[in-house]
Amino acid sequence: MNLQQLYYFRTLAEVKHFTKAAMKLMVTQPSLSHSISDLEAELGIALFVRTNRMVTLTKYGELFLEYVDQSLNLLDEGRARLEDFISPEQGVVSLHYVSSIDPFVPYLVARYFQENKGLQTIFQFQQTSNVAIQNALLSGEANLGLGMVWEPVSGLESYKLGDHELVLLVSANHPLAKQDSVDLRQVRGERFITYRYECVIRWLIDEIFKSLDLKPKIVSETIHDTMIYGSVAADLGVALVPAPLAMKHYNIKALPIENEIPKYEVHLRWRRERYTSPAVSQFRDFVMNSEGLFEHYRASLTER
């Protein structure tokens, strides 16, 4: 048994397809198949159930995967620590975030570099849903996440950056666009564009509608705020969203809500009890120690 076989095994368990796993590993399919067969022969058990289209783990494979994950993750952390010792001023920060705060993320990183000149940190960005952020943090794919917290998740910590109030988006041609604010009960019967359920904000929006005894006619679901903006501008419907941080190119209007509703909270999240590189720790500490960054950014938008 060698490390290569273990990496091959874990990748195949994730992808569940020999051809796709081979492509991801950049090896030939026969090489991958031969390596897995050798591993099964050495262990004396079948790790996978093979079919024409895909493979699935046997109960023995599921048990073995737990230990393989622990072992390879520990080795990856050890390698990361060595790299940090060699070059403590460099590092990579993998930051996943929701699309509603897309314009805020580069502002945040720019402020970090302004206050920490000389650092050579590389930021890897991924715009995605809250559920995907949570999974990426737990798996180690992401170091940090920016989004909403609906309920505590075992193994994850969070720090609140600020509130992001919800507004009703309507097209500039909509009758409500003549108003300065809106009671959500005015949109009874309107078509709605909203988020898919892997976006935690969808659960919040459902609760708001329920509290007002509203049953929206949903015509479109997405994880991207920009798709919502475009759909509203095209008169496909209206939408309840966090106040857009940039929408100059869209023919829409954001109406403040008159009803008493919860605010959307923006949180920084990370995995507890996992090795964190100096680059990740330094950026996380900067965000937590820079009180009011989100509010300062939003205030700067009104001054432009």
Side-chain angles (χ1 to χ4, degrees):
M1 186 186 305
N2 56 53
L3 277 177
Q4 185 183 67
Q5 287 176 315
L6 298 182
Y7 278 113
Y8 284 7
F9 165 71
R10 184 169 71 173
T11 302
L12 183 58
E14 292 172 353
V15 176
K16 299 181 175 63
H17 194 282
F18 269 101
T19 302
K20 293 178 180 178
M23 291 175 63
K24 186 173 183 179
L25 292 164
M26 293 185 288
V27 299
T28 64
Q29 183 174 334
S31 296
L32 174 61
S33 180
H34 182 71
S35 180
I36 296 298
S37 295
D38 284 348
L39 179 60
E40 290 177 319
E42 181 176 348
L43 294 172
I45 54 172
L47 298 171
F48 295 97
V49 176
R50 295 160 171 80
T51 64
N52 291 334
R53 293 188 175 181
M54 61 184 298
V55 296
T56 56
L57 286 168
T58 64
K59 64 179 181 179
Y60 308 110
E62 291 176 355
L63 175 65
F64 188 54
L65 180 61
E66 293 181 21
Y67 291 94
V68 170
D69 273 337
Q70 293 176 24
S71 301
L72 294 182
N73 288 340
L74 188 61
L75 285 171
D76 289 341
E77 288 185 7
R79 182 172 56 189
R81 287 200 183 201
L82 285 176
E83 291 174 352
D84 293 335
F85 280 117
I86 295 171
S87 183
E89 294 301 315
Q90 297 182 6
V92 176
V93 177
S94 176
L95 177 61
H96 292 204
Y97 60 92
V98 293
S99 63
S100 60
I101 59 169
D102 187 27
F104 170 67
V105 174
Y107 166 85
L108 179 63
V109 174
R111 284 287 301 271
Y112 175 66
F113 281 123
Q114 288 171 8
E115 299 192 19
N116 296 275
K117 299 185 185 299
L119 291 182
Q120 301 179 49
T121 307
I122 297 173
F123 283 85
Q124 296 177 340
F125 298 130
Q126 177 66 48
Q127 183 189 106
T128 185
S129 68
N130 270 294
V131 171
I133 290 172
Q134 175 180 301
N135 293 338
L137 290 172
L138 291 172
S139 70
E141 179 185 351
N143 304 126
L144 300 170
L146 282 172
M148 181 182 177
V149 177
W150 181 249
E151 58 186 15
V153 175
S154 177
L156 294 184
E157 296 281 359
S158 69
Y159 171 81
K160 180 181 173 181
L161 270 71
D163 293 321
H164 197 173
E165 75 273 13
L166 299 179
V167 297
L168 183 76
L169 286 191
V170 299
S171 76
N173 303 320
H174 195 284
L176 290 175
K178 298 176 183 178
Q179 300 182 188
D180 295 323
S181 61
V182 65
D183 183 322
L184 286 178
R185 285 167 292 200
Q186 291 181 261
V187 298
R188 195 182 302 274
E190 292 277 355
R191 297 190 305 268
F192 264 85
I193 297 98
T194 191
Y195 301 88
R196 286 171 18 195
Y197 278 105
E198 58 259 48
C199 302
V200 175
I201 189 175
R202 174 64 183 274
W203 300 92
L204 174 63
I205 291 172
D206 283 357
E207 286 292 325
I208 292 171
F209 285 140
K210 184 178 179 180
S211 69
L212 296 171
D213 194 28
L214 293 174
K215 296 181 180 179
K217 299 177 181 178
I218 295 171
V219 296
S220 178
E221 297 176 325
T222 180
I223 67 170
H224 298 294
D225 287 68
T226 52
M227 179 61 73
I228 292 178
Y229 303 162
S231 299
V232 172
D235 283 320
L236 182 60
V238 300
L240 189 60
V241 300
L245 301 180
M247 62 174 194
K248 292 182 179 179
H249 302 298
Y250 295 92
N251 191 35
I252 56 180
K253 183 174 181 178
L255 294 170
I257 306 298
E258 297 171 2
N259 314 80
E260 289 291 331
I261 61 174
K263 290 186 177 180
Y264 178 90
E265 295 182 355
V266 179
H267 286 253
L268 177 70
R269 308 183 78 184
W270 63 93
R271 181 171 170 177
R272 186 192 312 131
E273 297 177 356
R274 184 185 182 94
Y275 168 69
T276 304
S277 72
V280 174
S281 297
Q282 187 165 337
F283 179 70
R284 182 187 63 197
D285 292 345
F286 161 78
V287 175
M288 295 174 64
N289 294 329
S290 302
E291 188 174 348
L293 267 178
F294 188 62
E295 285 77 8
H296 293 160
Y297 172 73
R298 297 203 58 208
S300 72
L301 296 178
T302 61
E303 297 170 359
R304 297 176 187 174

